[in-house]
Each structure stands twice: as C-alpha cells, then as structure tokens.
Amino acid sequence: MGRRTLRTKLCDILDIEYPILSAGMGPSLVGETTGAPVELVVAVSEAGGLGVLGAAGFTVDELREQIREIKKSTDKPFGVDLLLPSQIVSAGDQEPKGPSEIPLSEVIKSLPKTHYDWIMKIKDEMNLPDIEAKIKTGSTTSRPHASIKVCIEEGVPLFCAGLGNPGFMVKDAHAAGMKVLGISGNTKNARRIAQGGADLVVAQGHEGGGHTGRIGSIALWPQAVDATAPTPLLAAGGIGDGRGLAAALAVGCVGVWVGTRFLATVEGGALPIQKETILQATDEDTRRSYLYTGKTSRAIYNQLHELWDHSGLEPLPFPTQVMFASAMAEMFNRAQEKDYMGPFSGQVSGLIDEIKPAAQVVEDMVEEAVDILTRRLPESVIAK
Ligand SMILES: Cc1cc2nc3c(=O)[nH]c(=O)nc-3n(C[C@H](O)[C@H](O)[C@H](O)COP(=O)(O)O)c2cc1C
C-alpha cells in the first residue's frame, strides 16, 4: 500500500506530514534520563510527525548540545519542551553559584524534619543503600529565560511549555519565527494559554501519564476546543493507536500529543525494565498521586505509593517534593527493589503490548486512523 494521506490544519502550521506529535517527556526524578531523547525526536520527525525533546532535566548548556544533535540528524521540524514554573519566570533565573552538582543526600537535609526523618527511617528499616545521585545546578527549570534564549538562538521550530503559561515569551518567539504551544488539563487554563497568544494548545485528560489533572479526555477535549477557538487544539491523554487519533479528530482537535505510547518504543527514554513494566500493565495499573512531584502525576502503581500513603506525610510544594521522591526512588532502584519502581505512565499502558520503533507507531496510527475514517465508520454507522 502506498503512503497514506492524513492531513489537518496542524500539518500546515508546523510543516509536517501527519498530525502526530510525540510528547516532550522529561525525566520524572533526579538522576533519571529523559523520556523523550534526541533519538525519539529524530525518529518521529523523520516519520512525518513532529518529535519533541523532553528537556526539563538538562542544564542550559546540555539543552543547546541536544538541540544541535537533533539538527545534525534531521532537517525536519521538531520541538523542545520545558517546564516554566511561574514563580521562577516572574522572579528571574536562579543563576548557578558554586559547584555544578550537589549531592542529593545533602539537599534532602534541608527538607522538613518529618520528611527527612521518614526517609532515614525507611532506609534503616529496609536496609537500603546510600543515596548517591547528584542534582545539577543551573537546570533549564531553574533558568527558564536563559533556556528560551537558547531555543531562539538555535532556531527551534516549536517551543512547548509543559507547565505554566508561555504568553510572556510569545512575542520574542514569533519574532524569531518560532511557534509556541502550551499544555493544560482543564478549559480555564487552556483558554488562558490561547489568550496569551500561543499558536497551539494541548488539552491533556486525567488518564495521561506524568502531571495530569482531574478531567477525563473525552469530556475535556470538546470543551477545550470551544474554549481555545480559534486557536487550534491538540488532544492528549490516553491515545495509543489510530482509534485514539480518529476520536480526537472527530471532536475537533487538529492533532494529537502522545506520551506513554512513544515512551515504550525502541527510541523512547524509559529504561528496559520500565518498558517491560508498561508492557505488563493493565488499564488499572497506574495511580495518580502527589508522591513524585507535589503536583498530581500518574505513574505505574508500585509499593512506593503504598509506603507514601501510609507515611502520614503531607506532600511538599513542587519542586521540593521531587527531591524527597528522588531520594526514595534512588534507594529502591539501587537495591533493585522492582516492586518499588514504576515510571510515569498513562492508563493507555494496558493497550501497549509491543516495543516498536517510533516510526512504526506513527505509521500504524496513521494507517488505522485512515481506515477508520474512510472505511470502518462508513461501513458500520448509518448517518445521513
Ligand atoms: C515519562 C513521562 C514524562 C513526562 N514528562 C513531561 C515533561 O517533562 N513535560 C511535559 O510537558 N509533559 C510531560 N509528560 C506528559 C506528556 O507530555 C503528555 O502530556 C502525556 O504523556 C499524555 O498522555 P499519555 O501518556 O496518555 O499519552 C510526561 C509524561 C510521561 C509519561
């Protein structure tokens, strides 16, 4: 069969063949690698979609290196995803002073005593190894303005704000020929992002992996389409194949932003053991919790959730809770305690039963969506 055609307005806006973006998935915790590395970005963009680098865990220098790596490997459009916490955006970048790395074991000593003591209690009781991870100072999240400058200087085609409203940088981005996308989990924020001047908005439903809100995808997408109009909306949360893509197009979305399905590809940044966990997971095996970041995020359910639930501790504000969870996760990872490990992952995990190359995911999604739209629906639905 020849190459399929599946085009929407998004393809014209981003100069791509298919309306499929792989989500920018940064590392979930300190010491982890990014879920959306250069290899995934290149594979998705080369396949006709648009790959987005999960750049939240990089330093500003690493960000520039990684963007240059992408440009060396493809001349197709791509994106970069950063987290833009509003308090840092308004206060200004936290310029790195002193060493470029700080031991996590030192950083957690500044957590509230209740939380630090609990980490140490579990470490003793379960005889867990020492915490050896290091925190990079000068990360993109602590230096949003410097990071945006790098994206502009490097001519990144699409800038994606995974957290916060990118409105403050739209003018500069447009002057440099860059498009801007913002992500939201409800209509109020989706409308704000559109009003801030973003070119594209993503509405991510409750079932999605990583940070996620309270509204289910099928309720959220049409409401967000109305709220952001005329700014085009992309659907996210629970899309794993061509059926999800066709459904998103049917409710008026111009394309899809897909995380978990691309995490579990050959090029996806999850560790082999994490990919295996996604393959084995059913639709019921994820959990949304404050445990990992202090904001609600969805991950594969594991025994660390249980420990946290019974700890009696309150979640700390983002990103302080990330330090707490990273310390816990690192001890269990180093002890190879598989039952206490689980990557950020969406409810769609239950649909994923094969680790495929990312290009195959794009191709299969397009093939199935085209089949639904041109054959299956006309054959199975009588509509006049
Ligand atoms: C491992 C992982 C890491 C993520 N990290 C980020 C991130 O750094 N920035 C961001 O905008 N979204 C992040 N997300 C959310 C995705 O961008 C996307 O919205 C979500 O995965 C969509 O739902 P799905 O997993 O059902 O496809 C992450 C998701 C996962 C699974």
Side-chain angles (χ1 to χ4, degrees):
M1 190 157 310
R3 204 162 163 86
R4 296 294 208 166
T5 299
L6 185 71
R7 291 191 69 82
T8 67
K9 181 155 72 172
L10 183 68
C11 301
D12 300 322
I13 295 171
L14 296 177
D15 191 20
I16 56 179
E17 190 178 357
Y18 299 127
I20 299 172
L21 273 59
S22 58
M25 297 173 280
S28 322
L29 296 169
V30 172
E32 288 190 1
T33 51
T34 176
V38 169
E39 296 74 18
L40 180 63
V41 177
V42 171
V44 172
S45 289
E46 282 290 306
L50 184 139
V52 177
L53 183 70
F58 296 138
T59 63
V60 176
D61 290 341
E62 286 169 341
L63 172 65
R64 195 186 293 277
E65 283 162 25
Q66 301 289 304
I67 294 171
R68 290 186 176 170
E69 280 299 311
I70 296 172
K71 291 197 290 188
K72 257 195 259 163
S73 311
T74 182
D75 53 11
K76 297 272 169 48
F78 63 92
V80 169
D81 180 280
L82 294 173
L83 304 179
L84 305 176
S86 52
Q87 70 278 20
I88 301 179
V89 166
S90 36
D93 287 7
Q94 296 166 358
E95 296 304 333
K97 294 185 207 99
S100 59
E101 287 184 334
I102 315 174
L104 179 59
S105 54
E106 287 301 311
V107 173
I108 57 171
K109 289 183 184 159
S110 61
L111 295 177
K113 189 169 174 333
T114 42
H115 290 65
Y116 180 73
D117 287 352
W118 188 77
I119 296 173
M120 290 303 137
K121 176 172 139 317
I122 300 291
K123 182 176 186 302
D124 281 353
E125 280 175 10
M126 298 185 69
N127 197 19
L128 296 172
D130 291 341
I131 300 162
E132 292 189 347
K134 302 244 175 22
I135 298 180
K136 293 176 205 164
T137 54
S139 72
T140 56
T141 308
S142 63
R143 300 182 67 201
H145 297 283
S147 307
I148 291 166
K149 189 161 168 270
V150 166
C151 292
I152 289 177
E153 285 168 1
E154 293 297 325
V156 169
L158 178 67
F159 180 86
C160 308
L163 194 72
N165 187 338
F168 71 95
M169 49 80 67
V170 164
K171 204 160 148 244
D172 291 345
H174 283 174
M178 183 157 78
K179 297 276 194 292
V180 178
L181 172 152
I183 303 170
S184 170
N186 59 48
T187 53
K188 189 171 68 180
N189 284 335
R191 188 180 295 111
R192 272 193 204 145
I193 292 170
Q195 286 169 347
D199 302 280
L200 299 165
V201 181
V202 171
Q204 187 201 303
H206 176 76
E207 47 268 66
H211 284 136
T212 191
R214 285 175 298 170
I215 325 295
S217 287
I218 203 64
L220 175 64
W221 297 341
Q223 296 185 64
V225 166
D226 293 345
T228 59
T231 305
L233 189 93
L234 285 87
I239 298 165
D241 61 19
R243 292 173 291 182
L245 169 56
L249 299 180
V251 300
C253 297
V254 293
V256 292
W257 168 270
V258 179
T260 304
R261 177 56 275 198
F262 281 113
L263 184 67
T265 56
V266 173
E267 298 87 350
L271 297 171
I273 184 173
Q274 295 177 324
K275 291 182 188 177
E276 192 52 42
T277 316
I278 295 174
L279 291 186
Q280 282 168 14
T282 72
D283 55 343
E284 293 188 297
D285 289 338
T286 66
R287 171 80 75 92
R288 182 173 169 268
S289 157
Y290 289 96
L291 159 64
Y292 286 102
T293 72
K295 292 177 181 290
T296 49
S297 66
R298 183 178 300 286
I300 298 279
Y301 173 71
N302 63 77
Q303 290 304 308
L304 193 51
H305 286 112
E306 282 286 312
L307 271 185
W308 169 249
D309 288 351
H310 291 102
S311 69
L313 296 171
E314 287 295 318
L316 301 166
F318 174 85
T320 312
Q321 178 79 8
V322 178
M323 306 304 147
F324 170 84
S326 298
M328 293 302 298
E330 205 224 340
M331 293 190 297
F332 285 114
N333 287 353
R334 294 195 57 227
Q336 287 293 302
E337 290 278 2
K338 281 196 236 156
D339 292 349
Y340 292 79
M341 293 150 85
F344 273 4
S345 192
Q347 291 178 341
V348 75
S349 301
L351 195 65
I352 300 171
D353 56 10
E354 194 189 345
I355 304 298
K356 303 193 253 190
Q360 189 69 49
V361 171
V362 173
E363 200 179 305
D364 292 351
M365 242 184 217
V366 169
E367 182 69 35
E368 188 175 26
V370 169
D371 190 42
I372 291 168
L373 298 171
T374 60
R375 188 186 63 80
R376 283 195 227 170
L377 276 179
E379 277 178 15
S380 59
V381 181
I382 299 166
K384 293 183 185 168

